Amino acid sequence: KKIKCSVEKTKIIASSNDKFKIELVEKLSKESQFEIFNISKDLEKIYGRNSMLNEQNIDKYFNQSTLPFIARYHNRIIGFIIGVPLENFKNQSWVQYDENLGKDNTLYTYAFVFESDFRGKHGFAKTLKKIFSNWAKKRGYQYISGHINENSIEKSSSQLEIIKKFNTWYESKDPFVYYRRKI
């Protein structure tokens, strides 16, 4: 199958000897979209099939009103993080527990995923998370929120305020918590 080429528009935010780069995404090429789709297959394992990024929903998360970053290693996408203003989820039941809804001060982390070969190695994920947080703060956000497996809270290096625990979260078998942390 021939892949239709499209113009990609990103801004390099950080780079290390041209091997590792972090880019803020304005528009993804078709090739990069397919790399993102493949990495997002890990989301399916945790949250179920509806959480995967695909051709039908990618523009919802990689657009002008979101804060999406990609990490590249040797020009290959190895991970990404997507921040979405909390207000974009105003129709979701879980967001009603957040007192910041409507204050335009919270960026929800829709996805933070790395290829398995790059998790916990080289500090790539930590670097991406730090840059994401700094950019969010520069844009006036005071908090970052998201959902995390309850068992992963102890591993988190940042101070998380637990807003609500969900014993069932989509297709996950484990309880999840909705958290917020000050930037």
Side-chain angles (χ1 to χ4, degrees):
K1 182 177 174 183
K2 191 167 178 134
I3 297 174
K4 183 182 167 190
C5 186
S6 64
V7 177
E8 182 159 271
K9 192 170 181 188
T10 64
K11 180 179 180 182
I12 297 173
I13 305 303
S15 131
S16 168
N17 301 330
D18 272 350
K19 290 180 184 175
F20 177 64
K21 296 178 192 169
I22 295 176
E23 302 171 28
L24 177 60
V25 176
E26 288 184 36
K27 182 174 174 37
L28 285 173
S29 67
K30 290 292 181 194
E31 294 86 347
S32 291
Q33 285 181 14
F34 286 114
E35 288 182 73
I36 295 288
F37 300 156
N38 284 330
I39 295 169
S40 81
K41 287 178 182 174
D42 275 357
L43 291 171
E44 179 183 21
K45 295 173 192 168
I46 302 166
Y47 303 107
R49 186 165 189 77
N50 292 331
S51 64
M52 285 180 47
L53 294 173
N54 55 49
E55 289 177 328
Q56 286 71 45
N57 67 13
I58 190 131
D59 291 335
K60 181 178 177 181
Y61 300 107
F62 283 85
N63 64 56
Q64 299 298 320
S65 66
T66 63
L67 196 58
F69 287 90
I70 55 175
R72 290 187 198 263
Y73 188 68
H74 291 285
N75 292 320
R76 190 178 106 234
I77 297 175
I78 59 168
F80 61 92
I81 190 167
I82 305 169
V84 181
L86 189 64
E87 287 68 25
N88 288 21
F89 297 97
K90 66 181 178 244
N91 296 328
Q92 299 288 320
S93 59
W94 58 264
V95 82
Q96 307 309 317
Y97 296 100
D98 196 322
E99 64 191 34
N100 286 337
L101 180 62
K103 294 182 180 177
D104 296 316
N105 67 359
T106 303
L107 195 62
Y108 177 78
T109 306
Y110 173 75
F112 181 35
V113 185
F114 266 78
E115 282 185 10
S116 57
D117 291 347
F118 291 93
R119 284 188 214 131
K121 298 176 185 168
H122 313 291
F124 293 155
K126 199 175 276 189
T127 301
L128 180 57
K129 190 176 182 182
K130 189 177 201 172
I131 288 171
F132 171 74
S133 295
N134 288 337
W135 272 74
K137 192 171 191 172
K138 286 179 187 175
R139 276 148 189 77
Y141 291 101
Q142 298 169 23
Y143 301 94
I144 290 178
S145 68
H147 287 86
I148 189 171
N149 183 305
E150 186 179 43
N151 301 324
S152 300
I153 295 171
E154 297 159 7
K155 297 176 195 166
S156 176
S157 57
S158 57
Q159 295 280 49
L160 302 181
E161 174 189 352
I162 305 304
I163 298 171
K164 174 84 173 143
K165 177 181 174 182
F166 296 90
N167 288 322
T168 56
W169 185 250
Y170 292 91
E171 297 170 29
S172 172
K173 295 169 184 68
D174 299 320
F176 270 68
V177 295
Y178 175 59
Y179 72 87
R180 168 176 53 230
R181 73 174 171 85
K182 190 152 181 59
I183 304 175

